[in-house]
C-alpha cells in the first residue's frame, strides 16, 4: 500500500513539513525548559521537611500523573479565557506541556536523589562536610548522573506529546502533515511524512541516551 | 453562578457516564489484546533468534517513536486506503492494542532477561523442553517482576485512550469537549472530566507502587 505513495506531492510540501518539524522542535525545547524548571521546583518542595510546602508539590505531581495530557490541554484551552486570561494557542500548548512533563521530571529527579545510599550522606557528615558540601560533592553528582537517561526518556515522550497541540490548532509537524491531507486529499502521504519527522527526533534522542550512558555509567549502578 | 453551571454540567451526566464507559471499555479491551500480543512479543524479543528479535525491535521502535495521535490517524486513514474499513471504535482498539503490545513486549522482554541465567540452565539440566522452561520456570518469575509495570501500563493506556477522541469516538474527553460547546465553563467541565480520570488512575498508580515495593521485599 506504500507502493502508491505520491512522493512528488510529499516533496512539493517539503517546506511546510520542514516548518512543522522546526515548530515541533522549538515547542518541545520550550516545553522541556519549562518542565525542568517545574520539575526541580516540585522535587525540591517534595523532599524538604515542611509539610505545608510538601503537600502542594505532591498534589501537583499526583493530579498530573493521574489525568491525560489532552484533558489538561483542554482544561487550559477552554478554561483560561473564562478567567479573563487570553493567550495564544501556542503559549497554552507550551504551558500544558511544561505542566505535564514537569510532574514526571519531578519524580525522576526525586528518585535519583533518593537512590543515593544513606550511608554515603552519613560518611560525609562524619568527615565534617556541611549540608551544602554533602549535596554538592556527594549527592548531586551521583543523583544527576542517574537522572540523565530517564530525563531523555521523558523528553522523547514530550516531543511525541507535542503532537496533541495540533488539536488546539497550533501549527506543528502533525498539523503540517494534515495540510497535505486536506489540500490534496492524500492523508497517507501527509501521515508518512509526519511520522518520519518524529522518528528522526526519536532516534536522535534515543542514541543520545545510549551514548551518554555508555560513557558515563557508574560502576555497579545503571 | 457556580451552582448554576455545576447543575447544567451535572445535567449532562448520561453523556459523561457513557464517555467514562467508553474510556474504560476501550482501555480494558486494548489491555487484554495488547497483553496477549505483548507477551508473545516479549518472548520473541528475549528469545534466541537474533534476526527475528531485531526485526520485531524495529517494528516496536516505529510505534514507540511516533506520537499516538499520528498512529490513530494512520489506522483510521491508511487502513481504509488498503481496503480495510474500520469503525472509529475498531480503529481505536487496533491502535491502542498495538501500542500496548509494543510497550508490554519490551516490559516482558526486560522481565525475562532479569531472570538469572542459572534458572534456565537448571531447567535445561532437568530435561525440560524450551516450552516447559518458559512456562514452568522463566515466565512465573518474570511475571512477578513485570506485574507492577503492567499496572502502570494500564494507567498509560487509560490516559492515551483520550487521544482516540480525535477521531470522534465518544470517550470521557470527547464528552467534555461536547459539553463545553454548550456550557462555556472550560475549567469546570474539564475539571469534572479530569476528576473522572483521576478516580480511576490514582488508585491504580498506588497499586502499582505497592506491588513494586512488595516485589522488592520478596526479592531480598
Amino acid at each position: 500500500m506504500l507502493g502508491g505513495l505520491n512522493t512528488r506531492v510529499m516533496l512539493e510540501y517539503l517546506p511546510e513539513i520542514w516548518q512543522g518539524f522546526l515548530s515541533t522542535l522549538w515547542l518541545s525545547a520550550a516545553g522541556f525548559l519549562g518542565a525542568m524548571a517545574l520539575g526541580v521546583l516540585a522535587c525540591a518542595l517534595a523532599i524538604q521537611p515542611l509539610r505545608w510546602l510538601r503537600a502542594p508539590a505532591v498534589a501537583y505531581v499526583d493530579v498530573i500523573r493521574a489525568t491525560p495530557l489532552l484533558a489538561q490541554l483542554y482544561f487550559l484551552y477552554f478554561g483560561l479565557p473564562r478567567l479573563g486570561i487570553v493567550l495564544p494557542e501556542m503559549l497554552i500548548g507550551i504551558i500544558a506541556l511544561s505542566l505535564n512533563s514537569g510532574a514526571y521530571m519531578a519524580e525522576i529527579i526525586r528518585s535519583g536523589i533518593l537512590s543515593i545510599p544513606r550511608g554515603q550522606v552519613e560518611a560525609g557528615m562524619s568527615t565534617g562536610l556541611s549540608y551544602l558540601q554533602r549535596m554538592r560533592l556527594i549527592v548531586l553528582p551521583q543523583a544527576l548522573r542517574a537522572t540523565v537517561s530517564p530525563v531523555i526518556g521523558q523528553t522523547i515522550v514530550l516531543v511525541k506529546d507535542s503532537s496533541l497541540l495540533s488539536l488546539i490548532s497550533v501549527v506543528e509537524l502533525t498539523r503540517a502533515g494534515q495540510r497535505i491531507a486536506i489540500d490534496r486529499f492524500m492523508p497517507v502521504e501527509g501521515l508518512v511524512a509526519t511520522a518520519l519527522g518524529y522518528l528522526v527526533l526519536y532516534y536522535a534522542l534515543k542514541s543520545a541516551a545510549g551514548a551518554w550512558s555508555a560513557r558515563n555509567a557508574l560502576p555497579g549502578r545503571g | 453562578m457556580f451552582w448554576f453551571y455545576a447543575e447544567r454540567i451535572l445535567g449532562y451526566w448520561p453523556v459523561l457516564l457513557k464517555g467514562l464507559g467508553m474510556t474504560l471499555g476501550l482501555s480494558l479491551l486494548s489491555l487484554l489484546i495488547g497483553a496477549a500480543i505483548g507477551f508473545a512479543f516479549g518472548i520473541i524479543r528475549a528469545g534466541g533468534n537474533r534476526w527475528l528479535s531485531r526485526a520485531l525491535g524495529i517494528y516496536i521502535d516505529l510505534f514507540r517513536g511516533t506520537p499516538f495521535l499520528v498512529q490513530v490517524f494512520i489506522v483510521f486513514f491508511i487502513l481504509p486506503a488498503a481496503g480495510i474499513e474500520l469503525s472509529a471504535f475498531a480503529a481505536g482498539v487496533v491502535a491502542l492494542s498495538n501500542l500496548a503490545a509494543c510497550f508490554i513486549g519490551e516490559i516482558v522482554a526486560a522481565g525475562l532477561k532479569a531472570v538469572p541465567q542459572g534458572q534456565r540452565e537448571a531447567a535445561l539440566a532437568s530435561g525440560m523442553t524450551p516450552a516447559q522452561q518458559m512456562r514452568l520456570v522463566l515466565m512465573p518469575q518474570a511475571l512477578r517482576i513485570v506485574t507492577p509495570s503492567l499496572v502502570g501500563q494500564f494507567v498509560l493506556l487509560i490516559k492515551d485512550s483520550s487521544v482516540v477522541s480525535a477521531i470522534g469516538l465518544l470517550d470521557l474527553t470527547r464528552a467534555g469537549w461536547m459539553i463545553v460547546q454548550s456550557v462555556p465553563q472550560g475549567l469546570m467541565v474539564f475539571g469534572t472530566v479530569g476528576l473522572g480520570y483521576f478516580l480511576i488512575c490514582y488508585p491504580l498508580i498506588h497499586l502499582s507502587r505497592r506491588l513494586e515495593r512488595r516485589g522488592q521485599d520478596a526479592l531480598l
Side-chain angles (χ1 to χ4, degrees):
Chain A
M1 74 192 174
L2 292 182
L5 210 59
N6 191 334
T7 42
R8 197 181 54 76
V9 168
M10 285 171 75
L11 283 178
E12 193 183 312
Y13 277 85
L14 198 60
E16 272 91 344
I17 296 288
W18 175 244
Q19 281 305 317
F21 181 81
L22 290 181
S23 292
T24 288
L25 207 60
W26 87 258
L27 282 171
S28 308
F32 174 80
L33 290 179
M36 282 313 274
L38 275 169
V40 169
L41 180 69
C43 169
L45 290 179
I47 59 174
Q48 54 76 45
L50 292 175
R51 176 188 285 250
W52 57 273
L53 277 176
R54 214 165 51 211
V58 172
Y60 158 65
V61 170
D62 281 345
V63 166
I64 293 289
R65 278 163 43 108
T67 51
L69 172 61
L70 188 55
Q72 296 159 12
L73 190 63
Y74 283 157
F75 181 78
L76 296 176
Y77 179 67
F78 291 110
L80 287 183
R82 292 298 296 185
L83 297 178
I85 306 170
V86 181
L87 298 172
E89 285 91 354
M90 191 169 275
L91 200 54
I92 294 178
I94 293 174
I95 294 173
L97 280 179
S98 304
L99 277 173
N100 183 267
S101 270
Y104 295 90
M105 294 296 188
E107 281 291 286
I108 290 169
I109 300 168
R110 196 174 71 106
S111 59
I113 290 176
L114 292 183
S115 74
I116 307 303
R118 180 85 195 135
Q120 295 204 10
V121 177
E122 285 161 4
M125 282 177 179
S126 62
T127 9
L129 297 180
S130 70
Y131 175 80
L132 281 180
Q133 283 175 319
R134 291 198 301 271
M135 266 295 170
R136 188 165 58 85
L137 298 171
I138 299 175
V139 176
L140 284 182
Q142 301 184 74
L144 292 183
R145 222 175 254 235
T147 303
V148 171
S149 287
V151 163
I152 297 179
Q154 180 58 36
T155 308
I156 290 176
V157 174
L158 178 98
V159 171
K160 292 190 291 172
D161 277 350
S162 72
S163 69
L164 291 185
L165 304 198
S166 67
L167 295 178
I168 58 166
S169 62
V170 175
V171 179
E172 37 66 77
L173 190 49
T174 306
R175 193 83 176 178
Q178 285 172 348
R179 295 290 316 166
I180 306 184
I182 294 164
D183 291 0
R184 298 298 188 92
F185 302 107
M186 288 180 179
V188 182
E189 279 75 4
L191 286 167
V192 169
T194 304
L196 285 177
Y198 285 107
L199 284 174
V200 168
L201 292 174
Y202 170 70
Y203 279 111
L205 284 168
K206 194 184 164 186
S207 45
W212 197 91
S213 53
R215 190 178 304 173
N216 293 297
L218 285 177
R221 314 181 62 209
Chain B
M1 208 56 176
F2 175 84
W3 290 113
F4 171 72
Y5 283 118
E7 235 179 282
R8 282 194 60 192
I9 291 170
L10 288 181
Y12 281 96
W13 69 267
V15 182
L16 285 168
L17 209 61
K18 215 173 140 195
L20 185 69
M22 175 59 85
T23 290
L24 278 177
L26 186 66
S27 336
L28 260 176
L29 191 60
S30 304
L31 179 76
L32 291 178
I33 301 173
I37 303 171
F39 271 86
F41 278 8
I43 291 169
I44 295 173
R45 285 285 284 158
N49 190 328
R50 202 198 294 171
W51 288 108
L52 199 58
S53 162
R54 207 168 279 178
L56 187 59
I58 293 173
Y59 175 82
I60 290 178
D61 259 358
L62 285 182
F63 290 95
R64 283 166 55 115
T66 48
F68 184 55
L69 179 63
V70 173
Q71 295 171 24
V72 170
F73 285 151
I74 285 178
V75 172
F76 198 56
F77 291 114
I78 292 192
L79 288 188
I84 307 168
E85 285 291 340
L86 289 176
S87 68
F89 181 73
V93 170
V94 168
L96 204 54
S97 309
N98 179 60
L99 184 75
C102 289
F103 279 99
I104 292 174
E106 293 299 88
I107 293 171
V108 171
L112 284 172
K113 284 180 188 156
V115 177
Q117 186 65 26
Q119 297 282 330
R120 184 194 290 272
E121 287 159 6
L124 187 65
S126 354
M128 290 189 184
T129 65
Q132 284 174 324
Q133 292 169 27
M134 183 57 72
R135 188 166 55 87
L136 299 171
V137 178
L138 300 177
M139 196 48 95
Q141 299 186 64
L143 215 51
R144 290 190 67 159
I145 302 173
V146 303
T147 309
S149 313
L150 285 182
V151 178
Q153 194 56 46
F154 185 41
V155 175
L156 285 185
L157 278 187
I158 293 172
K159 291 191 287 176
D160 278 338
S161 73
S162 68
V163 172
V164 177
S165 64
I167 52 170
L169 205 61
L170 202 148
D171 74 328
L172 190 51
T173 302
R174 184 77 182 177
W177 189 88
M178 280 170 62
I179 295 170
V180 90
Q181 311 294 329
S182 47
V183 186
Q185 284 288 337
L187 294 180
M188 284 168 72
V189 171
F190 282 97
T192 312
V193 167
L195 185 67
Y197 282 105
F198 186 85
L199 290 178
I200 306 168
C201 293
Y202 189 65
L204 285 172
I205 293 174
H206 265 269
L207 176 67
S208 163
R209 259 187 226 150
R210 248 199 15 224
L211 288 172
E212 204 167 335
R213 233 172 282 144
R214 191 184 297 171
Q216 279 166 356
D217 291 346
L219 288 175
L220 287 175

